[in-house]
Amino acid sequence: MKYVGALDQGTTSTRFIVFDQEGSLVSSHQLEHQQIYPQPGWVEHDPWEIWDNSSECISKALKAANLKGSDIAGIGITNQRETILAWNPKTGKVWHNAIVWQDLRGADLIERLKGQVDASFLQKKSGLLFSPYFAASKIAWLLDHVEGLRDEAEKGNVVFGTIDTWLTWNLTGGKALVTDVSNASRYLLMNIESCRWDDDLLELFNIPKKALPTIVPSSGMVYAMTTPSGPLRSEVPVCGILGDQQAALFGQACFTEGLGKSTYGTGCFLLVNTGRKLVTSAQGLLTTVAYQLGNEPPMYALEGSIAVAGSLVQWARDNLKIVETPQELDKLASSVPDCGGVYIVPAFSGLFAPYWRSDARGVIAGLTGYVTRAHLARAILEATAFQAHDIFKGMEKDSGIEMTTLKVDGGLTNSKPLMEFQADLLGIPVIRPLVVETTALGAAYAAGLSVGVWKDLDELASYWKEERRWEPKMSDEVRCEKIRFWKKAVNRTLDWVGTQEDEQ
């Protein structure tokens, strides 16, 4: 039996999962890490805490499976995207906490650049839009605000890497300084056609090219071997990298044009495979690299991103303290037939697709004396479904593809009321696979393909199996009415953050 390991580094936790050659989960271990909020709109992680947790997860998952590092045929990495950190790859000195994808400190720079460069130029070059969500404005902020960093970056003593780069560098004892094309496509610095760092974009953000990692394929090559002094205690190929949402697309076996998935995690991300062709969005969606296998041309995807999904449930638990567990929230939500007229728009760090409004902030609308804790619980879950619906409809318009089913994964798919409501809103079946750890599975697939554990994509597709299906039951009339009120609630979030002059 051959085994493949997947290191899945997410926004709130890290886990290492061992899969067998049939794509079945053998063992796993997971640890949460601290969320650091220096001021409103800023979010950071401790890079060394993430690495320490990664090492512990690897060791404990191997122990749980009664395996040694040498039993693993290859390691795949999947990671929270856009989160960036700066370190010296020669000494290991970290210059600043990792700036997390949700962080808004690059917003001022983005607003200035909007006045200098047409958005269509940016979209054609990178497939992306002006937003502090992407890594470029975070790197620019670090260069401008961390004393001595720019000088060292210009000398070649700094690398600005996403979490995949950080983990690969640590796993291989500093031998590999790489990011795969799916992660690189989220920097706002990569040319979406050539899949190389773009000189015009680097100049726009004033970022030195020498301070960026090498862009490599998602699968089909060994980047380097793990160091024997690391958590695997042996030399194992690190041979697959995918950003978390692309990894979920890969793990859901969406290998052909028109196949799509929605991941319900900390955020919610809907991707549809558009094949070898670049589809430019007119609906506020992103053109991104889905994956690249070896020297083959890349496969592309359209993506819609929602910042707050599962984190809204965490907020209800930790900040509002209306429930103690997600299961209690589900139970509460199921105890009422509807939301009681309440709509929650969780624009905690602005609105992502299809609106892209960093000036928006969250609202709870439609409150009356009739509303109970149960109605709030239901509105919290329904908020994610409404946001996914906005993206889904935009995706159909952009791609010209009418999607007849939606594959789903992620922790929130355990919520029966959410999945039922999602099917109702979309008016199509929502399908969950047998193996719901699709993000880690996608990374394992990418690694296993590189070292011959699996032959090709057709073999991987044969392992995908349906576990649960939700069919729509809502009438068109009710659906339209709910969407109308949702759009009214979204409008209430806009222009919340602005200057006094804007309001006069």
Side-chain angles (χ1 to χ4, degrees):
M1 178 66 75
K2 294 180 179 177
Y3 300 97
V4 180
L7 183 54
D8 181 357
Q9 204 298 299
T11 308
T12 58
S13 68
T14 304
R15 58 190 176 165
F16 187 75
I17 301 182
V18 178
F19 293 95
D20 65 23
Q21 65 196 73
E22 293 181 351
S24 298
L25 191 151
V26 176
S27 69
S28 69
H29 193 78
Q30 184 168 358
L31 291 170
E32 289 191 1
H33 57 266
Q34 183 185 6
Q35 306 297 306
I36 303 164
Y37 301 102
Q39 63 183 61
W42 290 24
V43 192
E44 297 178 0
H45 292 157
D46 178 345
W48 287 116
E49 181 187 9
I50 285 175
W51 170 242
D52 289 344
N53 284 1
S54 299
S55 297
E56 185 176 341
C57 286
I58 290 169
S59 299
K60 290 192 172 173
L62 289 174
K63 185 177 181 182
N66 199 25
L67 296 171
K68 302 189 295 292
S70 56
D71 296 319
I72 304 297
I75 298 283
I77 294 171
T78 182
N79 56 288
Q80 52 168 318
R81 305 167 307 169
E82 297 94 18
T83 296
I84 203 81
L85 65 147
W87 75 98
N88 184 323
K90 297 163 190 168
T91 66
K93 173 187 176 179
V94 173
W95 284 83
H96 193 276
N97 276 339
I99 301 180
V100 180
W101 58 274
Q102 301 148 312
D103 190 283
L104 291 175
R105 74 188 70 185
D108 289 344
L109 172 61
I110 292 296
E111 288 304 313
R112 287 200 304 273
L113 292 178
K114 281 181 180 177
Q116 300 172 23
V117 179
D118 193 87
S120 62
F121 163 83
L122 200 72
Q123 191 175 25
K124 187 174 188 308
K125 279 273 190 182
S126 68
L128 307 177
L129 307 170
F130 273 121
S131 173
Y133 169 38
F134 306 110
S137 64
K138 297 171 171 61
I139 297 172
W141 186 92
L142 287 168
L143 284 165
D144 290 343
H145 290 84
V146 179
E147 187 177 351
L149 182 57
R150 185 174 290 279
D151 286 345
E152 289 300 301
E154 297 285 2
K155 292 175 188 172
N157 294 331
V158 176
V159 64
F160 295 98
T162 39
I163 297 294
D164 59 310
T165 308
W166 172 243
L167 293 177
T168 306
W169 180 81
N170 276 290
L171 279 169
T172 62
K175 294 194 288 288
L177 210 54
V178 299
T179 187
D180 97 293
V181 68
S182 73
N183 278 292
S185 72
R186 315 297 295 189
Y187 275 68
L188 200 54
L189 298 172
M190 189 192 85
N191 187 294
I192 194 70
E193 292 188 50
S194 69
C195 295
R196 292 290 173 261
W197 300 123
D198 187 276
D199 290 334
D200 291 336
L201 295 174
L202 290 166
E203 183 180 353
L204 180 67
F205 287 95
N206 194 19
I207 294 170
K209 186 188 287 188
K210 66 174 68 172
L212 296 176
T214 301
I215 300 174
V216 294
S218 314
S219 179
M221 69 177 290
V222 174
Y223 314 123
M225 306 297 281
T226 61
T227 175
S229 61
L232 287 126
R233 305 289 179 224
S234 60
E235 291 196 332
V236 178
V238 181
C239 49
I241 300 174
L242 284 162
D244 53 8
Q245 302 314 316
Q246 291 95 331
L249 190 77
F250 208 74
Q252 286 271 35
C254 296
F255 301 133
T256 55
E257 183 180 333
L259 292 180
K261 67 88 205 176
S262 188
T263 296
Y264 298 79
T266 303
C268 180
F269 301 86
L270 203 158
L271 276 75
V272 63
N273 188 325
T274 62
R276 306 273 187 219
K277 68 182 181 208
L278 285 162
V279 177
T280 301
S281 175
Q283 307 294 324
L285 304 179
L286 309 174
T287 305
T288 195
V289 175
Y291 56 87
Q292 184 184 20
L293 306 180
N295 295 322
E296 294 179 14
M299 298 289 279
Y300 292 101
L302 273 175
E303 174 177 336
S305 310
I306 298 164
V308 179
S311 54
L312 185 61
V313 175
Q314 284 182 312
W315 176 77
R317 180 194 68 188
D318 300 339
N319 292 37
L320 294 190
K321 301 190 185 301
I322 64 171
V323 293
E324 292 185 0
T325 65
Q327 292 76 21
E328 185 185 353
L329 189 86
D330 264 20
K331 189 175 179 182
L332 266 178
S334 299
S335 71
V336 289
D338 55 44
C339 63
V342 177
Y343 292 79
I344 298 178
V345 186
F348 294 163
S349 52
L351 286 170
F352 281 22
Y355 307 101
W356 295 108
R357 294 287 295 263
S358 56
D359 63 325
R361 287 298 179 271
V363 301
I364 302 175
L367 287 173
T368 64
Y370 167 76
V371 170
T372 67
R373 190 166 65 112
H375 294 112
L376 283 177
R378 191 164 188 91
I380 284 164
L381 293 176
E382 289 185 357
T384 292
F386 279 119
Q387 292 177 95
H389 171 271
D390 287 346
I391 289 173
F392 185 90
K393 292 304 175 186
M395 204 160 272
E396 286 192 327
K397 285 180 185 175
D398 277 337
S399 66
I401 298 165
E402 186 175 344
M403 296 169 67
T404 55
T405 61
L406 182 67
K407 291 181 175 182
V408 298
D409 54 68
L412 272 184
T413 62
N414 292 315
S415 170
K416 183 184 175 188
L418 171 56
M419 292 295 101
E420 287 174 343
F421 189 72
Q422 188 70 86
D424 280 341
L425 267 192
L426 297 178
I428 60 170
V430 168
I431 303 169
R432 186 172 68 192
L434 189 61
V435 178
V436 294
E437 309 293 355
T438 53
T439 304
L441 183 59
Y445 280 168
L449 280 175
S450 299
V451 291
V453 173
W454 296 292
K455 186 177 64 173
D456 54 28
L457 299 182
D458 289 340
E459 181 183 355
L460 295 181
S462 71
Y463 294 128
W464 188 92
K465 292 187 172 53
E466 179 180 321
E467 183 262 338
R468 180 76 192 273
R469 176 182 292 246
W470 291 271
E471 298 280 353
K473 296 173 183 173
M474 186 179 286
S475 70
D476 290 344
E477 183 182 2
V478 172
R479 182 185 302 119
C480 289
E481 183 74 354
K482 287 184 177 294
I483 291 167
R484 183 173 74 84
F485 275 102
W486 165 255
K487 291 187 182 302
K488 286 179 72 172
V490 168
N491 285 331
R492 301 298 191 273
T493 72
L494 305 179
D495 296 315
W496 189 262
V497 179
T499 63
Q500 191 171 1
E501 288 76 15
D502 292 337
E503 294 161 10
Q504 290 173 346

